Amino acid sequence: MLAKAVPDVPDPDSVKGGLRYEPKWDGFRGIVTIDGDDVEIGSRGAKPLTRYFPELVEAFRAQFGGHGHPVVLDGEVILRAGDPGHEKLDWEALSQRIHPAASRIAKLSAETPAQFVAFDLLAADGEELVDLPFDERRRRLEALSDDFADPLFVTRTTLDVDVARGWLTTFEGAGLDGVVAKPRSRAYEPGKRSMLKVKHHRTADVVAIGYRVHKSGSGVGSLLVGLYGDDGEVRQVGGVSAFSDKRRLALVDELDPVVVKDADGRPVTGAGEKSRFSSGRDTSFVRLAPELVLEVRYDQMEGDRFRHTVQFERWRPDREATSCGFDQLEVPAAYDLRDVLS
């Protein structure tokens, strides 16, 4: 069951039957099936996640040992970090958990253990629940979660839209991603965007520092962007993509005046960072002199990088590239993740 993006937290009467609101967790979506000692964790795209989180497998076995029928939970695998009273979600540490080596998985499962936050119940007590209204599934999930203990949690929920709007602001300080609104009377609908999600959106002025050629072999596939640090050096903070065919071809000519070239007039290229999720992808890029400024839309930061791909808004010829630093970025007020989980 998926979510459709909306610009604001919707009023409860905007959907027939009303809405129930939850925090939007920033982790790996996981469908967990527990049948005795058999535990399977599947991602939203049906990719098996079980082997990467042995500590969660053991927790599910321990806490569901008394159930005689399969239990199926929908929720989020998360990882929290920080000192007591100052915890927040740690996406980078969570992404490190996806590793091919069993020895590495075992080491990280002890050093950076994950947690699971349940937000729906799809089967229990020998009964499939997907056809029941969400309010009833939620009631049964709450009854089941009475026995939960760390690292298993159930997400909080509210029917009060003003409370949900407050969460959108305050919970960001704990690393959460926004707010989800779920129709109270709807069945569980796999593959359909029946839920509504609200995420944070901000703008920043960044510097174009390179581009990757589109996978077709022509045009700009993605534009690499950076910000200046206190040391006066520009650092890559993310990328802009999703250009139309016409736009990506036009960008090649627009960017040509700032392409860095060698003594023979050939573009200078660099090697980009490899991702553990797409290690076979070509990450080389054409270098650009850090002169062009563009405004982009983003939702949140992860360390000193944009958490997701950002969206192009407009060129900013009125801005000096060296004036585009990290100080322009909005920093949410800190909020302890334990207060969200409690």
Side-chain angles (χ1 to χ4, degrees):
M1 191 166 175
L2 306 176
K4 175 184 178 182
V6 293
D8 302 296
V9 179
D11 290 323
D13 58 0
S14 63
V15 172
K16 184 179 180 180
L19 292 169
R20 182 178 291 273
Y21 306 94
E22 298 175 2
K24 186 178 185 303
W25 298 91
D26 190 19
F28 295 156
R29 181 76 174 273
I31 303 293
V32 182
T33 302
I34 311 110
D35 188 0
D37 284 340
D38 293 331
V39 177
E40 294 293 334
I41 307 173
S43 73
R44 187 178 70 180
K47 178 180 179 180
L49 296 176
T50 312
R51 68 181 297 265
Y52 302 117
F53 300 100
E55 74 279 26
L56 289 182
V57 171
E58 289 306 312
F60 284 119
R61 284 174 178 161
Q63 297 189 38
F64 286 85
H67 290 264
H69 299 282
V71 174
V72 182
L73 296 165
D74 189 359
E76 198 96 354
V77 178
I78 64 169
L79 198 152
R80 65 187 192 221
D83 297 325
H86 302 281
E87 289 188 349
K88 65 181 301 183
L89 296 177
D90 191 336
W91 167 261
E92 183 58 31
L94 180 64
S95 65
Q96 294 285 342
R97 297 296 306 274
I98 308 300
H99 198 281
S103 58
R104 179 69 172 169
I105 291 172
K107 182 174 186 291
L108 291 177
S109 69
E111 294 178 351
T112 57
Q115 297 77 41
F116 182 80
V117 182
F119 45 65
D120 212 332
L121 181 63
L122 309 187
D125 300 323
E127 181 183 0
E128 288 195 8
L129 309 179
V130 292
D131 292 330
L132 296 180
F134 176 55
D135 269 1
E136 176 62 17
R137 302 197 310 273
R138 173 71 195 192
R139 185 188 69 78
R140 297 199 187 193
L141 174 61
E142 289 175 355
L144 183 71
S145 68
D146 284 343
D147 298 327
F148 279 13
D150 192 345
L152 306 185
F153 299 88
V154 63
T155 193
R156 62 170 60 191
T157 181
T158 183
L159 301 178
D160 190 327
V161 67
D162 291 326
V163 171
R165 287 168 178 159
W167 289 349
L168 185 65
T169 301
T170 56
F171 287 179
E172 185 186 10
L176 276 79
D177 212 14
V179 169
V180 176
K182 299 182 176 180
R184 299 174 61 184
S185 62
R186 296 280 286 272
Y188 191 90
E189 300 173 297
K192 293 186 178 180
R193 297 192 179 275
S194 303
M195 304 183 294
L196 305 173
K197 62 182 178 181
V198 186
K199 300 179 67 175
H200 308 281
H201 291 289
R202 302 176 174 87
T203 62
D205 292 333
V206 295
V207 185
I209 59 174
Y211 72 82
R212 293 194 178 105
V213 176
H214 189 264
K215 60 184 179 181
S216 66
S218 61
V220 173
S222 60
L223 190 61
L224 308 184
V225 297
L227 289 170
Y228 278 89
D230 293 336
D231 57 3
E233 297 294 324
V234 66
R235 305 174 195 170
Q236 183 182 339
V237 294
V240 187
S241 59
F243 300 113
S244 67
D245 290 347
K246 181 179 179 180
R247 185 72 182 121
R248 62 181 172 82
L249 293 173
L251 275 172
V252 175
D253 293 330
E254 290 181 34
L255 298 173
D256 185 66
V258 293
V259 170
V260 177
K261 298 177 181 178
D262 61 20
D264 295 322
R266 293 173 298 193
V268 175
T269 60
E273 301 170 348
K274 292 285 187 181
S275 165
R276 65 182 52 84
F277 301 109
S278 54
S279 57
R281 183 183 301 171
D282 181 10
T283 59
S284 62
F285 64 94
V286 177
R287 294 186 180 275
L288 301 177
E291 299 174 12
L292 297 180
V293 175
L294 59 151
E295 183 180 354
V296 297
R297 282 184 292 121
Y298 71 99
D299 49 18
Q300 64 186 118
M301 300 293 292
E302 176 71 24
D304 59 357
R305 298 176 68 91
F306 294 123
R307 170 71 175 80
H308 302 103
T309 302
V310 297
Q311 287 77 49
F312 179 89
E313 280 283 287
R314 55 177 175 157
W315 292 109
R316 290 294 307 268
D318 56 317
R319 286 293 302 267
E320 287 290 336
T322 53
S323 70
C324 299
F326 288 89
D327 56 346
Q328 68 180 296
L329 303 178
E330 181 182 343
V331 179
Y335 195 93
D336 187 13
L337 182 62
R338 284 188 177 270
D339 290 339
V340 187
L341 290 169
S342 64

